[in-house]
Amino acid sequence: MDRATIARLPKFDLHCHLDGSLRPGTVRELWDALPAQERPAIAGSVDKAVLPRVPCSLEQFLEAFRITVALLQTPEALERVAYELCEDAAQENVVYIEIRFAPLLHLRGGLIPDEVVEAVLAGTQQAEAELPIRAGVILCGMRQEPPERSAEVALLAGRYRDRGVVGFDLAGPEEGFPLSRHAVAIRLAQEAGVHLTLHAGEGCCPEHIAEALDLGAERIGHGVYLYQDPAAERRVREAGIPLEACPTSNLQISGIMRTLSDHPLKRYLDLGIPVTVNTDNRLMSRTSSTDELWRVVEAFNLGPDEVRTILLSSAKASFAPEPVRRELAHQIRAAL
Ligand code: ADE
Ligand code: ZN
């Protein structure tokens, strides 16, 4: 398969962070529009400040979000970047995207959490109306924050279920922050009928994956370290839990790969685990959906059958309603 073929295929992005997926030009514009006293302190140019020096730890990588989050404190900025992300994805034939963000990080300009969610939904819904893409939103609690805060996000997700919010997630640093701290939030999300995906085993901590399964995760964010816990790997395979692999980001952050061909996603594919391929952070990882899928195809010399398997896993794993999932699967079968 060549890159042009991958570019043409209907694709999916089930794991992308709104605050990590701004266009570089939009970063500059929002930065220039910010009053000088509201700009976060940086050493050099803003263009460089949002690009982590990779490889690095997850904690170091997350420092770049200090800048982008500071730029996203108005409804206009939130709506704009949500729309632009959908536009960029649609441009490369992404037919379905789930955009995640932590609403409580966007209250510094005086917005309330509901207004933050509504601004992002305004952007995704405008994109859905104008472009050949469907978009769902996943709300994130932050692992390092007090559990009451993630519980608030879970309730918020419940209020916006059926209005574009499809899921709940926990993001942020992993080391030292077990998911079990947020068991109440997770239960609240489940009781509200919101789908659950959890970041686990991204930059460390294979034990977090079993923890995520115990807490009812329907999908695992990254799960790079899964092979280090054979019992959890068996559980994931037997239950058919989809993994949200983000190849470039994983290479930059995981600390266990020299090149992409070291990524354990090929092992997971061969084991029959549903593997999806996603961007994570277009801005910080300087990537796109076409790049991510193409890099995996190149690294492992994948053929059309394996690419079809990955895309069908994405359609099936999406948090869209069943008829939409079926239609998405049909689109893939028609293309491949
Ligand atoms: N927030 C943005 N990117 C993230 C990642 N890769 N892991 C956890 N939280 C994040
Ligand atoms: Zn992530």
Side-chain angles (χ1 to χ4, degrees):
M1 298 193 89
D2 59 16
R3 194 180 188 282
T5 305
I6 297 296
R8 268 196 307 274
L9 287 175
K11 290 178 289 297
F12 296 78
D13 198 348
L14 301 183
H15 189 129
C16 65
H17 294 264
L18 182 68
D19 49 342
S21 304
L22 288 75
R23 293 175 184 166
T26 300
V27 170
R28 271 192 303 278
E29 277 185 42
L30 293 174
W31 176 267
D32 289 340
L34 215 58
Q37 69 275 14
E38 286 177 32
R39 290 180 187 154
I42 51 169
S45 73
V46 65
D47 310 74
K48 292 236 176 71
V50 295
L51 289 181
R53 283 166 63 105
V54 291
C56 64
S57 68
L58 174 57
E59 290 74 9
Q60 288 166 332
F61 194 88
L62 292 175
E63 281 170 26
F65 290 79
R66 188 173 60 83
I67 319 286
T68 54
V69 166
L71 301 176
L72 299 176
Q73 300 296 334
T74 66
E76 294 77 19
L78 288 159
E79 180 176 342
R80 173 182 176 176
V81 299
Y83 181 85
E84 288 181 351
L85 170 51
C86 293
E87 194 174 44
D88 293 347
Q91 185 74 38
E92 44 170 348
N93 297 316
V94 171
V95 291
Y96 180 83
I97 186 167
E98 286 174 3
I99 300 174
R100 61 186 76 196
F101 66 101
L104 302 191
L105 300 183
H106 303 275
L107 309 179
R108 282 183 235 150
L111 295 178
I112 62 167
D114 293 66
E115 291 170 331
V116 173
V117 174
E118 282 166 28
V120 172
L121 290 174
T124 58
Q125 284 162 6
Q126 191 193 338
E128 283 186 306
E130 294 175 3
L131 305 166
I133 190 166
R134 287 188 173 90
V137 161
I138 296 174
L139 300 188
C140 300
M142 300 301 287
R143 303 173 75 121
Q144 77 278 25
E145 291 199 349
E148 302 75 45
R149 300 254 296 169
S150 46
E152 187 181 346
V153 177
L155 293 174
L156 184 64
R159 283 205 296 287
Y160 283 88
R161 200 197 73 154
D162 303 328
R163 285 191 279 165
V165 172
V166 296
F168 177 73
D169 172 35
L170 287 159
E174 264 198 277
E175 189 103 58
F177 299 107
L179 293 161
S180 53
R181 293 178 72 232
H182 302 279
V184 169
I186 288 169
R187 192 163 36 74
L188 288 170
Q190 289 166 321
E191 283 170 4
V194 173
H195 288 289
L196 181 66
T197 177
L198 293 168
H199 278 77
E202 176 185 9
C204 67
C205 312
E207 67 280 9
H208 285 169
I209 300 167
E211 198 186 17
L213 298 174
D214 290 341
L215 289 161
E218 296 165 66
R219 305 194 313 230
I220 300 290
H222 306 293
V224 178
Y225 278 70
L226 178 62
Y227 71 93
Q228 294 187 7
D229 182 345
E233 190 178 62
R234 218 173 306 119
R235 284 175 74 188
V236 166
R237 183 165 55 80
E238 285 170 4
I241 302 287
L243 302 180
E244 301 161 358
C246 304
T248 301
S249 168
N250 297 155
L251 175 64
Q252 293 170 335
I253 294 170
S254 71
I256 53 171
M257 299 170 210
R258 203 176 42 80
T259 71
L260 212 54
S261 53
D262 297 326
H263 200 302
L265 76 83
K266 180 62 164 61
R267 168 193 171 91
Y268 304 143
L269 263 183
D270 291 343
L271 283 170
I273 293 170
V275 173
T276 68
V277 172
N278 311 282
T279 58
D280 209 10
N281 299 296
R282 285 170 179 258
L283 174 66
M284 286 81 176
S285 293
R286 291 196 235 195
T287 194
S288 69
S289 292
T290 300
D291 282 343
E292 290 304 292
L293 194 51
W294 171 238
R295 284 172 190 166
V296 170
V297 165
E298 260 197 317
F300 299 109
N301 197 21
L302 301 186
D305 285 352
E306 285 156 313
V307 171
R308 191 196 299 111
T309 298
I310 290 171
L311 295 174
L312 285 172
S313 291
S314 291
K316 191 162 171 234
S318 91
F319 290 155
E322 171 57 22
V324 175
R325 279 187 277 149
R326 234 180 302 127
E327 197 188 312
L328 293 168
H330 179 75
Q331 262 181 283
I332 301 158
R333 289 202 186 90
L336 247 179

